[in-house]
């Protein structure tokens, strides 16, 4: 298709379907001729990313952090950008990232009430000044998202699942405020319904960037 390299991100609360939708979109984009790299935060970018992910998802660790949590997410993101995202964009690839800066704004800023100014200031400095061209914000009631995540995680480490619904309501509202502030970049997607129905909504929201994009269930492969 010959698009220039770019960063697309998925955002939303836990269980909203970001990972599922990132995989479906990658399939659709590849079928249209794009080279696609799918990655996630925290955790993208090899050993440093996975080590920081383990640390940031450990309840004993994150409960003990204050402003340091913002710096740790920023450090993980800076490494992710340098080691994976920016080189892929430079090669002309479409990078799809499952969570990015808006998660820091919504979780650390709106959810935990930590300094929004610090988050913004850090993300003015290279390489953290890299912004997605388009962000798909999957919007879902926290009760539904946490039920989905709990079903999947039976027997696995649950991470944030003991957070209260009110915390996730604050996070959801934080995402909504970002979408209201930046409507051109951030597109709100109704995340209820079958995965393929959500995927078709997302394809519709990307046709201005990828006019030949076709939902995976219409590919006929
Ligand atoms: N975090 C942060 O605080 N600050 C930051 O800056 C960043 C992150 C970058 C990462 O957790 C945690 O890091 C996250 C915020 C914090 N904590 N929380 N909450 P993670 O990576 O382990 O988890 P997650 O990002 O929240 O993703 P998730 O739980 O895997 O959810 P998801 O990717 O949105 O959903 P999914 O995996 O595609 O789907 C979840 C389940 O629902 C699965 O069984 C699917 O098959 C099912 N599913 C998916 N779509 C549907 C539909 N449409 N209907 C029904 N069922 C569905």
């Amino acid at each position: 298709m010959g698009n220039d390299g770019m960063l697309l991100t998925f955002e939303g609360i836990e269980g909203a379907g970001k990972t599922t939708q990132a995989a479906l979109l990658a399939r659709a984009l590849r079928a249209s001729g794009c080279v696609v790299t799918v990655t996630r935060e925290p955790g993208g970018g090899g050993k440093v990313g996975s080590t920081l992910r383990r640390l940031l998802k450990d309840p004993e660790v994150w409960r003990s952090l204050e402003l340091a949590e913002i710096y740790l997410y920023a450090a993980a993101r800076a490494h992710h950008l340098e080691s994976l995202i920016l080189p892929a964009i430079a090669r002309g690839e479409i990078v799809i990232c499952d969570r990015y800066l808006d998660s820091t704004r919504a979780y650390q800023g709106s959810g935990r009430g930590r300094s929004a100014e610090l988050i913004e200031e850090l993300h003015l400095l290279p390489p953290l000044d890299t912004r997605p061209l388009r962000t798909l914000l999957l919007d879902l009631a926290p009760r539904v998202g946490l039920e989905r995540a709990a079903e999947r995680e039976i027997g696995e480490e649950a991470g944030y699942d003991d957070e209260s619904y009110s915390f996730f309501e604050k996070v959801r509202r934080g995402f909504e405020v970002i979408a209201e502030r930046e409507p051109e970049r951030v597109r709100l997607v109704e995340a209820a319904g079958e995965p393929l129905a959500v995927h078709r909504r997302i394809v519709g929201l990307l046709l201005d960037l990828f006019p030949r994009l076709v939902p995976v269930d219409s590919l006929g492969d």
Side-chain angles (χ1 to χ4, degrees):
M1 199 185 265
N3 285 292
D4 291 330
M6 67 179 79
L7 175 62
L8 306 176
T9 58
F10 278 93
E11 297 282 6
I13 59 156
E14 185 161 11
K18 299 175 296 299
T19 309
T20 304
Q21 294 303 326
L24 288 169
L25 178 61
R27 241 179 90 195
L29 283 167
R30 285 182 185 124
S32 76
C34 298
V35 179
V36 182
T37 294
V38 181
T39 185
R40 67 172 176 178
E41 289 199 357
K47 194 171 174 187
V48 173
S50 47
T51 304
L52 285 168
R53 177 181 174 87
R54 242 189 341 272
L55 199 65
L56 285 161
K57 290 207 70 178
D58 180 340
E60 204 184 315
V61 172
W62 61 254
R63 283 200 184 101
S64 73
L65 298 172
E66 294 185 28
L67 288 182
E69 193 185 25
I70 294 175
Y71 286 103
L72 279 174
Y73 273 109
R77 183 160 305 128
H79 177 261
H80 191 200
L81 281 157
E82 285 176 347
S83 63
L84 189 148
I85 296 176
L86 292 174
I89 292 174
R91 290 192 298 270
E93 298 177 17
I94 313 291
V95 178
I96 301 177
C97 191
D98 183 344
R99 293 194 183 281
Y100 189 69
L101 164 60
D102 297 322
S103 281
T104 311
R105 290 168 165 155
Y107 280 79
Q108 281 63 54
S110 306
R112 298 208 208 293
R114 291 186 183 136
S115 172
E117 291 73 26
L118 177 63
I119 295 168
E120 298 309 322
E121 279 174 23
L122 284 175
H123 287 82
L124 292 175
L125 302 172
L128 293 170
D129 57 348
T130 307
R131 297 289 182 271
L133 188 60
R134 184 70 44 89
T135 294
L136 288 318
L137 170 54
L138 299 183
D139 187 50
L140 192 67
R143 188 182 45 79
V144 181
L146 293 179
E147 273 168 16
R148 284 184 189 173
E151 271 174 39
R152 184 201 51 193
E153 283 169 6
I154 290 170
E156 292 178 21
E157 181 207 357
Y160 279 64
D161 291 349
D162 57 351
E163 292 279 28
S164 66
Y165 288 117
S166 72
F167 171 77
F168 283 99
E169 285 294 359
K170 281 192 268 182
V171 172
R172 184 191 195 189
R173 181 65 197 139
F175 279 127
E176 282 169 357
V177 169
I178 299 167
E180 285 160 12
R181 218 181 276 144
E182 291 186 69
E184 183 52 37
R185 173 178 70 86
V186 185
R187 304 295 166 91
L188 202 77
V189 183
E190 167 58 62
E194 289 301 310
L196 279 175
V198 180
H199 170 63
R200 284 192 292 271
R201 282 173 212 143
I202 289 168
V203 168
L205 290 169
L206 291 173
L207 286 176
D208 59 326
L209 297 178
F210 307 98
R212 288 163 45 204
L213 192 64
V214 173
V216 294
D217 53 329
S218 303
L219 286 174
D221 52 6

